[in-house]
Structure formats: C-alpha cells, structure tokens
Amino acid sequence: MLTVFIATFVLFLLVIGGMSLGYVFKRKSLQGSCGGITSLGIEKVCDCPEPCDARKKREAKAALRRRQLEKHRII
C-alpha cells in the first residue's frame, strides 16, 4: 500500500516538475484549451443589462474604500 502511495506521489511530482519547466523555458502561463467564455461570444460572466443590487452594493463599498484610501494616503 505504501509503495502505491509513493509511486503516485512521485508521478505527481514529475508532472508538476514538467509543467514548471515548460513555464520557465517558454514564459507562458497555464491556460485552458477552450478559450473560456469569450469563445462563446459572452464579454462578461454576468450578461445582465444592469447589475443586481448585491453587485451595486459591492461596487459602492469598493468605491468608498478607494476614496478613503486616497484621502488618507501618506505619500
């Protein structure tokens, strides 16, 4: 049982090592093969004409935080 665990662990290390070598030599980040939602013609995840109330609250909270950070900036 322990040999199966060790063999599996070594296999995963080899796969991760191969992926990292590919990243180091090609300087290309990992990406999916399908192209994501842009291949479907959707520009954003939420395809609503107007944001929902929860999103409006989040955006207002983020804007308030940005204004406070600008106001209290030291440098």
Side-chain angles (χ1 to χ4, degrees), residues 22-29:
Y23 174 75
V24 167
F25 288 120
K26 293 195 177 204
R27 293 285 182 203
K28 215 174 165 186
S29 63

Side-chain angles (χ1 to χ4, degrees), residues 39-64:
S39 66
L40 300 173
I42 301 173
E43 295 181 12
K44 57 183 179 176
V45 176
C46 176
D47 209 18
C48 305
E50 187 175 326
C52 61
D53 292 335
R55 184 172 179 142
K56 288 179 185 177
K57 285 181 186 177
R58 280 196 312 267
E59 289 175 355
K61 189 175 181 181
L64 177 64

Side-chain angles (χ1 to χ4, degrees), residues 9-42:
F9 187 72
V10 168
L11 180 68
F12 274 105
L13 286 179
L14 288 173
V15 169
I16 292 171
M19 289 175 16
S20 64
L21 284 176
Y23 174 75
V24 167
F25 288 120
K26 293 195 177 204
R27 293 285 182 203
K28 215 174 165 186
S29 63
L30 298 176
Q31 59 187 2
S33 61
C34 66
I37 62 170
T38 55
S39 66
L40 300 173
I42 301 173

